[in-house]
Amino acid sequence: MIHKFTVNGERFVLDVNSGALHLVDGLVWDLLDDDYPRRTREELVARCAPEYPPDEAAEAIAEIERLVAEGALFSEDFLKGSWEPPEDETVKALCLHLAHDCNLSCRYCFGAQGSFAGPRGLMPLEVGRRAIDFLLASCGPRRHVEVDFFGGEPLLNFSVLRELVAYGRDRAARLGKEIKFTVTTNAVLLTKKTGDYLAENQISVILSLDGRRPVHDRMRVFPGGDGSYDLVVSNISRFLEAHPEVDYYLRGTFTRVNLDFAGDVLHLADLGFDKISVEPVVASPEESYALREEDLPLVFAEYERLAAELVSRARRGREIDFYHFNLDLAGGPCLPKRLSGCGAGGEYLAVTPQGDLYPCHQFVGRPDYWLGDVDRGVLRRDLRAMFRRAHIYNKEGCGECWARFYCSGGCHASAQAFNGDIHKPYRLACLYMQKRLECALYFQALKAQGFSPFGP
Amino acid sequence: MGKHIKTIARPALQSTIKGCGCGECQTSCQSACKTSITVSNQVCLKESKQHR
């Protein structure tokens, strides 16, 4: 299987099963499609006539055949379209909901303004400790384990966060493990003292900022309705200026209101930030700001514009790390990782302030997906097995999709929310993903040659 | 590099099925509400250690 695509006028062919990527001219573009292996040489030459003379077509066919022989075009799927993941009850990452409460009332919040449609409250220290005990008891031989402090707004529970970092580091060290902490915050409470603590303790930070002031302030508001842009930009700027070494990403959301979201990414870059992620909103179709299928042409054009602009800036010496164009062409994750995706419901679980376990943060509050709790572990082993087997060969449409080894089947929670089944991916998200990956491949192809143009 | 085709990335994927899947890599959220969404931008810890 191959995938042909163009970005900003450049023609590419991806060999889906091997991951080989080729830049091709118009002749090869015309010659190649999924029926190529079934066509005779005469048919192929005839397809190119009269635009290309037979000897030139023969030359291009010879190049194609060389790549076929090398396994770089029309390569076979090593796994023949099926995979049985090993039985494994390891848990290596927890999303700890330190707070089911928030100091902002973002209009697009998927977590019901922090409450996750349940009672508002903070995670008690004891629940957090038991969650870390559960993680370290469940991680098997894995040396690296992860805890993401999430919410709501986790910094509302900063004292517990500090205690849990100390507790987790101590417990992990005793077991010869490494525990990595991340906090996902709206930055409202990112004071100097809090920032210093996060940096000194090497905690990775995901900072929510949507982009241009009107875009951000339209959605990310305080409970009284005022926008949070000024405070958030001020806090983030101070934090990153004081701690340039910190591992961070700025994370924004785009909606139907700002389909020109490349402008928001570039605004964040213009503020001096280098590590940026701006992603499509997760929203019910009835919401006015939800993305619609009719928006696709604009969104696709915007991704191409963003890719071109980031290339242009890189050529001028300023390379922005846009998270979704960050893809390792030569290596990256192994095939088992690409097949199984995020690990939600398996090696990755979310913990509520009460200590209940769910497959991930997005499933919190969906009663059918309650898995167990931090004291008794996973009780719904049937659900766990279902998530483990929900890989690309068992998801509807993924086996035939060119993007399967990059996307890994998409978000289980979105599939369940939109189609009632984790095995049925949310189509609109698939289409965004495919376009974003094409732009990522384009960006990385240029990066691989120092951003110099491809030439004639 | 040919006259008509410039190969940007060589075949790499299928050879990673054996001896891999150690699970030491970072978890990669697939949803749009956390920064991750694709697995393909993950770093393989095994690979990075070998190259060190």
Side-chain angles (χ1 to χ4, degrees):
Chain A
M1 183 182 186
I2 60 166
H3 174 61
K4 299 200 307 183
F5 64 97
T6 63
V7 175
N8 292 327
E10 303 290 355
R11 301 182 191 89
F12 294 92
V13 177
L14 176 75
D15 184 50
V16 172
N17 289 318
S18 73
L21 179 67
H22 312 283
L23 180 74
V24 304
D25 67 5
L27 170 53
V28 171
W29 179 267
D30 288 346
L31 279 168
L32 282 178
D33 60 17
D34 276 326
D35 288 330
Y36 172 91
R38 288 178 285 283
R39 292 201 167 97
T40 65
R41 201 176 185 82
E42 290 70 30
E43 283 171 340
L44 290 167
V45 171
R47 265 167 74 87
C48 303
E51 197 178 344
Y52 299 100
D55 56 338
E56 203 177 337
E59 190 181 70
I61 291 167
E63 279 187 42
I64 292 170
E65 290 303 320
R66 247 194 323 274
L67 291 169
V68 172
E70 290 170 11
L73 276 174
F74 302 106
S75 62
E76 293 294 317
D77 180 354
F78 185 81
L79 293 165
K80 311 281 182 215
S82 71
W83 184 56
E84 184 57 33
E87 293 280 345
D88 189 357
E89 302 210 333
T90 300
V91 178
K92 70 171 190 184
L94 289 182
C95 177
L96 283 195
H97 288 221
L98 281 194
H100 271 190
D101 204 352
C102 196
N103 43 12
L104 291 183
S105 289
C106 301
R107 297 199 161 102
Y108 51 39
C109 181
F110 75 92
Q113 279 68 43
S115 70
F116 286 80
R120 291 188 181 272
L122 305 180
M123 178 179 281
L125 175 58
E126 195 44 41
V127 171
R129 282 187 175 151
R130 294 207 300 272
I132 287 174
D133 290 343
F134 164 71
L135 173 64
L136 290 171
S138 309
C139 66
R142 303 281 200 283
R143 221 174 87 72
H144 297 90
V145 296
E146 298 159 53
V147 170
D148 183 15
F149 297 120
F150 202 68
E153 172 48 45
L155 294 186
L156 287 172
N157 204 1
F158 185 55
S159 60
V160 166
L161 183 153
R162 290 175 61 129
E163 294 280 350
L164 290 178
V165 169
Y167 181 77
R169 291 250 160 87
D170 177 62
R171 303 295 298 172
R174 288 167 193 248
L175 296 165
K177 310 271 185 191
E178 278 183 40
I179 189 164
K180 174 182 163 59
F181 292 99
T182 303
V183 61
T184 301
T185 175
N186 60 28
V188 168
L189 294 175
L190 189 62
T191 60
K192 181 180 181 308
K193 188 178 152 199
T194 305
D196 289 348
Y197 167 82
L198 295 173
E200 283 160 15
N201 285 276
Q202 292 161 354
I203 296 171
S204 299
V205 188
I206 308 295
L207 302 152
S208 297
L209 176 58
D210 280 354
R212 294 163 291 184
R213 183 200 304 270
V215 169
H216 181 97
D217 278 350
R218 185 166 184 150
M219 288 290 171
R220 302 190 65 81
V221 295
F222 289 101
D226 290 341
S228 59
Y229 177 91
D230 286 337
L231 176 65
V232 165
V233 168
S234 164
N235 283 352
I236 293 174
S237 299
R238 185 189 57 240
F239 173 56
L240 294 178
E241 277 166 23
H243 304 289
E245 77 290 355
V246 82
D247 179 30
Y248 81 97
Y249 261 99
L250 246 56
R251 194 223 160 278
T253 298
F254 74 86
T255 71
R256 194 153 203 272
V257 173
N258 61 317
L259 292 173
D260 59 343
F261 61 91
D264 293 289
V265 177
L266 299 174
H267 173 75
L268 297 175
D270 290 340
L271 288 176
F273 306 123
D274 292 330
K275 301 182 74 176
I276 302 168
S277 167
V278 172
E279 316 184 20
V281 69
V282 176
S284 291
E286 63 268 19
E287 299 290 356
S288 60
Y289 54 80
L291 296 161
R292 301 177 193 167
E293 193 136 354
E294 69 211 55
D295 301 329
L296 286 172
L298 274 178
V299 172
F300 287 2
E302 201 63 3
Y303 273 122
E304 290 206 21
R305 180 168 87 91
L306 179 59
E309 180 57 28
L310 294 183
V311 166
S312 168
R313 289 186 181 213
R315 284 175 181 156
R316 298 199 301 269
R318 175 92 195 281
E319 191 178 339
I320 303 299
D321 180 353
F322 180 64
Y323 198 78
H324 298 297
F325 293 166
N326 187 359
L327 183 152
D328 185 352
L329 286 180
C334 60
L335 204 49
K337 173 78 177 174
R338 291 173 189 258
L339 292 163
S340 54
C342 64
E347 62 185 22
Y348 169 66
L349 301 173
V351 186
T352 69
Q354 295 77 33
D356 291 310
L357 299 173
Y358 286 87
C360 79
H361 55 289
Q362 287 243 12
F363 282 100
V364 168
R366 302 185 201 177
D368 291 346
Y369 288 87
W370 178 86
L371 287 174
D373 59 49
V374 291
D375 294 321
R376 294 174 292 171
V378 175
L379 302 175
R380 290 287 309 276
R381 298 180 75 177
D382 58 324
L383 269 185
R384 191 168 209 195
M386 180 180 82
F387 274 89
R388 187 166 52 81
R389 293 196 188 98
H391 56 70
I392 58 171
Y393 292 125
N394 291 333
K395 284 198 165 193
E396 195 173 281
C398 294
E400 299 79 47
C401 175
W402 69 266
R404 59 183 179 266
F405 294 125
Y406 300 90
C407 145
S408 303
C411 172
H412 296 314
S414 290
Q416 197 278 328
F418 287 96
N419 296 324
D421 185 343
I422 66 168
H423 302 91
K424 294 181 179 174
Y426 174 41
R427 185 169 172 275
L428 203 54
C430 295
L431 298 173
Y432 291 133
M433 175 70 83
Q434 289 166 350
K435 185 63 190 181
R436 208 162 48 201
L437 284 168
E438 289 177 351
C439 290
L441 291 166
Y442 162 84
F443 183 85
Q444 293 299 330
L446 279 161
K447 185 175 177 176
Q449 51 182 38
F451 293 108
S452 53
F454 289 123
Chain B
M1 188 171 70
K3 182 177 161 191
H4 302 277
I5 305 174
K6 178 179 182 177
T7 295
I8 309 277
R10 304 294 306 171
L13 253 181
Q14 299 287 331
S15 62
T16 64
I17 190 68
K18 287 179 185 164
C20 293
C22 68
E24 295 290 351
C25 51
Q26 195 176 340
T27 303
S28 53
C29 170
Q30 300 284 97
S31 90
C33 57
K34 278 193 171 185
T35 284
S36 285
I37 212 160
T38 44
V39 166
S40 50
N41 58 9
Q42 291 290 297
V43 175
C44 173
L45 285 185
K46 206 178 208 179
E47 191 180 66
S48 59
K49 273 180 190 158
Q50 282 167 356
H51 291 172
R52 225 172 260 164

